[in-house]
Amino acid sequence: MIKKIKYVIIVMLIIANVICSSSVEATEISKVTNVRTREVTKTFKSIKNASLATTKLKYTAGYKISWKKQKKVAGYNVYVYYPVTKNWKKIKTTKKNYFTLTNCFQGEKVKIRIRAYKKINGNNVYGQFSKVKNVKIKKELYPRTKWGKVKKPFTDRVASENAFVLQNKYRKSAGAEKIEWSENVYNVCLERAKQISKNYRHDGWYETAMKVFSKKYKIDDEFIWIEEGDSEYGINYVSSENILEGAFSYKEAMKQWKRSSAHYKNLLSKSHVKGAIACYRASGGYYWVALFADADIDKLLEEKCKK
C-alpha cells in the first residue's frame, strides 16, 4: 500500500512539473501588438485607345496586415470574425509577422486578430490575442491577371454573413421572425453560386441541395418525412431560392433583392426557419445565392443520419 501511494505521488509530481513548465513558458509568449495595415497595389494592362495601344492601371489587390515580431515563437495564427455565427475563424498560420488580406467584396468591415504560439512538449501553447483590428474594404480586393481579369474565382464568407444579417433586418422591419443560419444550407449556396456563374438559371437548385446533403448524410429520399401521431408527411429539404448577378457588395445585393417584389416576398416569407447566403466572384462577374428552409434542416438531417 505504501509503495502504491509513493508511485502515485511521484507521477503527480511529474505531471505537476510538466504543467508548471508549460505555464512558465506560456507566460513568455507576449501578446501580439502594433497591428498595422497597408494597401498592396499592383498593376494590370488595359487598352488605351482605338490604336490598341496599352496602358497600365493601378489597383488595390489587398491589405498587408503586419505586427511586432516576437522572439522564440513558432509562428502566428490569424483569425477573422464571422458576424452571423459569431465565431472567430482561423484563416492563416504563418511564421512571418505579416500576411496579405485579399479576396474581399467591397464595403465590408473585416475584423482581424492575431496570436503567437510556440511548441512545448509537442503541443502548441498560445499567447494572448491582439486587439481587434478593423479593416474597411473600400474597394474589392483580389489579385488580377495581366489583363485585369480575376486571377482565381473566390467566395467571401464575411460578405455572405453580412448580407444575411441585413436580410434579417428586413424581416424584422416587416414583422417576420429572423431565420437562423444553416451551415448545411450554406454549402448548397456555395455550389449554386458556382453553377449560376456558368448558367444563370433557377433550374437545378433542389437537385443540388439533394446532392450536397446526400454526400454528407447518405440520404436518398426526395423529402424529409415527418411523423405526427398516425400520419406522416414529407417536406422539402430546401423550400426556395433567390439568385442575383452583378452586385459588387452585400448592401447592393440586398437592395436589388428588396427592389424586386418576387425576391423580396420570398425573403420575407414567415414560413422560413433556416437559410444561408453565399457570394462568388468569377471572371464573369458577381453572383449571389440565398436559400431558405421551412424546417430546422440541420436537426432533421442529423436525426435522419442517426437512424
Side-chain angles (χ1 to χ4, degrees), residues 149-150 153 196-198 245-246 280-287:
K149 293 184 178 180
V150 179
I196 65 171
S197 72
K198 299 175 182 178
E245 180 182 8
Y280 183 64
R281 180 69 166 103
S283 294
Y286 306 84
Y287 302 91

Side-chain angles (χ1 to χ4, degrees), residues 58-237:
K58 286 185 178 182
Y59 74 98
T60 303
Y63 285 95
K64 184 178 179 180
I65 315 295
S66 61
W67 52 91
K68 185 177 180 180
K69 190 173 184 178
Q70 296 186 20
K71 296 180 179 180
K72 297 181 180 179
V73 297
Y76 307 88
N77 292 151
V78 181
Y79 290 75
V80 67
Y81 184 70
Y82 290 161
V84 173
T85 52
K86 301 187 186 305
N87 288 325
W88 286 94
K89 175 70 173 180
K90 184 170 68 175
I91 60 168
K92 183 76 174 179
T93 297
T94 177
K95 293 182 179 180
K96 300 176 181 178
N97 65 318
Y98 61 87
F99 87 107
T100 301
L101 175 67
T102 189
N103 290 353
C104 296
F105 279 41
Q106 184 177 326
E108 298 175 44
K109 184 182 286 185
V110 180
K111 294 182 178 181
I112 299 287
R113 65 180 186 178
I114 307 108
R115 65 178 177 179
Y117 70 93
K118 64 168 59 176
K119 290 279 187 180
I120 298 177
N121 298 321
N123 298 314
N124 286 342
V125 178
Y126 301 94
Q128 293 182 7
F129 278 108
S130 66
K131 291 182 179 179
V132 175
K133 185 69 175 179
N134 291 312
V135 185
K136 189 171 183 180
I137 311 301
K138 298 176 182 178
K139 297 179 181 179
E140 59 183 0
L141 305 177
Y142 61 86
R144 306 187 188 191
T145 65
K146 66 179 181 179
W147 288 103
K149 293 184 178 180
V150 179
K151 199 167 187 178
K152 188 177 180 181
F154 63 92
T155 62
D156 185 344
R157 176 67 179 252
V158 176
S160 298
E161 292 203 14
N162 276 327
F164 195 81
V165 170
L166 189 51
Q167 178 176 260
N168 269 332
K169 288 181 179 178
Y170 287 172
R171 288 177 63 84
K172 184 178 180 180
S173 297
E177 293 290 330
K178 75 174 184 178
I179 57 178
E180 298 294 331
W181 178 274
S182 166
E183 201 67 25
N184 286 307
V185 176
Y186 177 68
N187 291 332
V188 182
C189 288
L190 285 177
E191 288 298 314
R192 284 292 295 147
K194 294 174 184 177
Q195 289 170 3
I196 65 171
S197 72
K198 299 175 182 178
N199 182 18
Y200 189 73
R201 300 176 63 183
H202 274 297
D203 295 354
W205 61 270
Y206 196 75
E207 289 79 1
T208 301
M210 289 295 298
K211 182 180 178 181
V212 172
F213 296 157
S214 296
K215 185 177 181 180
K216 181 176 181 179
Y217 294 98
K218 311 300 180 185
I219 60 174
D220 52 12
D221 292 335
E222 186 177 355
F223 305 101
I224 295 179
W225 294 96
I226 307 295
E227 296 181 4
E228 288 189 356
D230 296 330
S231 62
E232 185 180 40
Y233 62 92
I235 62 171
N236 290 328
Y237 287 90

